[in-house]
Amino acid sequence: MPEMRRSPTAALPFHTQEGLRYRDVDPMGHVNNSVYATLFEQNRVAFQSEPGGFCEAEGQIAVLATQTIDFLREMHFPGTVDIGLGISRIGRSSFDFIQEITLEGRLIARGRCTQVLIDEGARTSVPLSELQIEMLTRWLVTP
C-alpha cells in the first residue's frame, strides 16, 4: 500500500493521546471503525474540558449535529494514537471541528463535525456569546 502523505496533524492546535485497547479489535484483526468515532469524541470532550478550550454557559450544552469520518488506512492494536483538533468554522450558534488521528506518524483518519449550542431546557439553538466566539477563534485553522 502506498504511504499516505505526512499528517498535517501537527498544524492542528489541540492534541490528545489515547491508547488502543485489545477490545477495540474486530474479528477482521483491525481496530473497528466505530472506535474512530469514540477517539474523536474523547478528543472533543477533552477540548471542551480544557481551560481556554470551549465552555458552555449555565443552562447551555453543545450537541453533535453532524459527523463524517474519512477512513484512510487500517489501524491495528497495540499502539497509542495522537488526535489533533482545530476549529474550521464558527457560525451563529454552531461551530465545526476538523480532527485527525495519527499512529506512528501515519495519517489514519480525518473527521469533521458540527456542534450546535442549545438551551438545555428549551432544546433549541442559542447564539454563541462574544466570549465563546473569542474562545473558539483561538483554535481556528484553515481546513
Side-chain angles (χ1 to χ4, degrees), residues 57-140:
E58 177 96 18
Q60 295 179 339
I61 189 167
V63 297
L64 189 65
T66 63
Q67 181 176 32
T68 60
I69 300 173
D70 298 327
F71 299 96
L72 304 173
R73 65 181 331 122
E74 291 180 328
M75 184 164 44
H76 297 274
F77 172 84
T80 299
V81 295
D82 183 78
I83 307 129
L85 172 151
I87 301 297
S88 59
R89 183 193 65 84
I90 303 170
R92 186 187 76 79
S93 60
S94 65
F95 50 98
D96 294 350
F97 288 103
I98 184 168
Q99 294 173 282
E100 293 182 336
I101 296 173
T102 60
L103 177 61
E104 298 172 354
R106 296 164 138 181
L107 182 58
I108 302 294
R110 229 182 240 120
R112 291 165 303 286
C113 72
T114 299
Q115 287 197 323
V116 178
L117 189 63
I118 66 168
D119 179 283
E120 214 167 354
R123 307 309 276 185
T124 57
S125 65
V126 294
L128 294 160
S129 70
E130 289 299 318
L131 177 59
Q132 289 167 328
I133 291 169
E134 184 180 312
M135 290 168 143
L136 292 169
T137 301
R138 292 183 40 224
W139 304 96
L140 204 56

Side-chain angles (χ1 to χ4, degrees), residues 5 14-15 20 22 26-27 37 41 50-51 55 57 66 91 95 102-103 120 135 138:
R5 68 177 175 78
F14 182 82
H15 290 264
L20 298 174
Y22 177 74
D26 64 17
E41 177 184 54
E50 179 77 17
C55 187
T66 63
F95 50 98
T102 60
L103 177 61
E120 214 167 354
M135 290 168 143
R138 292 183 40 224

Side-chain angles (χ1 to χ4, degrees), residues 5-53:
R5 68 177 175 78
R6 176 80 172 116
S7 170
T9 300
L12 296 176
F14 182 82
H15 290 264
T16 56
Q17 287 73 43
E18 294 284 337
L20 298 174
R21 302 165 301 183
Y22 177 74
R23 67 179 278 178
D24 295 336
V25 177
D26 64 17
M28 300 202 37
H30 59 263
V31 174
N32 186 278
N33 61 356
S34 65
V35 173
Y36 292 59
T38 300
L39 293 169
F40 283 138
E41 177 184 54
Q42 287 295 110
N43 178 252
R44 289 191 309 273
V45 168
F47 173 75
Q48 290 176 229
S49 301
E50 179 77 17

